[in-house]
Amino acid sequence: NKVSLKVECKYDTHAVLADAMQVNQLLLNLRSNALQAMQNQERPGVIEIRLEEHTQGEAHGDLRPGRYACLTVRDNGSGMDVATRSRIFEPFFTTKPVGAGTGLGLSVVHGIVLAHEASIQVESARGEGSRFRIYFPALETQVADLVVTTLGVTPVHGKGKHILYVDDEESLILLMKRLLVRQGYRFSGYTDARDAVAAVRA
């Protein structure tokens, strides 16, 4: 089925202190999770990513008062019931069939959130999709000039390095290829682990 990606980043959002590679990993895992939640549904899939500033007046759960950069990833997929939602960050917990996933994606997301002293909130219901909001604490110092001068720079993280990616979902391989090639990596994707091993040996 067709899946569209909508991205809206407000560039006046408060700056944060974060590891760019870890935030990339967080986004990759959330997008991968969203794609899987929309497979086999009749309506067109939509993934929305939004970055905006947020000011918290009173403490709410583990979200303390203060300024934040709020990163939201939302999909219109199958959604989750309460029981599933309460366990999604547990390592190796998965609702997928045996062999279709490790159950580590969202636990990795949770670990990255904790490492950045951020907060994550999840809203989801069966048939209504899911929305993940991550609140990164804003820096107190002004770094607007630095942000503006780096926005237009083309990422060159890969610099020709070669990544081999294995997944049983063709759609995820295509997504990873598009994202990693943009970062300057060479990419080889396989749906069969035996083919991947043969490629490495060759």
Side-chain angles (χ1 to χ4, degrees):
N1 62 323
K2 184 178 180 180
V3 177
S4 60
L5 176 64
K6 300 179 180 179
V7 180
E8 181 180 0
C9 295
K10 296 185 179 296
Y11 293 117
D12 58 351
T13 303
H14 302 306
V16 302
L17 184 62
D19 184 302
M21 293 301 290
Q22 289 192 25
V23 174
N24 275 338
Q25 182 66 53
L26 178 150
L27 280 170
L28 283 172
N29 287 1
L30 288 177
R31 285 181 294 206
S32 171
N33 200 65
L35 270 176
Q36 292 170 353
M38 293 183 291
Q39 289 184 1
N40 303 319
Q41 70 179 23
E42 294 183 1
R43 67 180 183 275
V46 178
I47 300 175
E48 297 178 0
I49 299 175
R50 182 178 177 87
L51 179 68
E52 60 191 338
E53 64 179 59
H54 174 81
T55 301
Q56 185 69 26
E58 299 180 357
H60 178 70
D62 61 352
L63 191 62
R64 300 184 297 273
R67 298 187 309 163
Y68 295 86
C70 178
L71 178 63
T72 301
V73 179
R74 177 182 173 275
D75 67 73
N76 68 339
S78 57
M80 299 175 282
D81 56 28
V82 175
T84 300
R85 198 168 66 241
S86 67
R87 299 188 60 193
I88 57 174
F89 297 127
E90 295 179 14
F92 304 109
F93 173 75
T94 180
T95 57
K96 301 169 192 169
V98 175
T102 62
L104 288 173
L106 289 180
S107 66
V108 169
V109 168
H110 193 238
I112 293 172
V113 168
L114 293 179
H116 286 81
E117 298 182 352
S119 175
I120 186 167
Q121 296 179 359
V122 184
E123 300 172 23
S124 186
R126 277 292 183 192
E128 298 181 12
S130 301
R131 174 162 39 199
F132 291 80
R133 287 193 179 103
I134 299 100
Y135 297 89
F136 291 95
L139 284 175
E140 294 301 323
T141 55
Q142 294 294 325
V143 290
D145 293 340
L146 175 63
V147 174
V148 169
T149 56
T150 58
L151 282 177
V153 177
T154 302
V156 289
H157 304 302
K159 296 181 180 178
K161 294 178 182 176
H162 196 163
I163 290 181
L164 183 144
Y165 181 80
V166 184
D167 200 297
D168 55 1
E169 296 291 347
E170 185 72 32
S171 60
L172 293 182
I173 291 176
L174 294 174
L175 172 66
M176 292 297 291
K177 179 179 181 179
R178 185 171 65 176
L179 294 171
L180 290 170
V181 168
R182 285 179 182 174
Q183 296 291 324
Y185 293 96
R186 292 186 296 131
F187 181 91
S188 296
Y190 297 90
T191 56
D192 190 306
R194 291 168 296 187
D195 292 341
V197 171
V200 172
R201 287 176 176 166

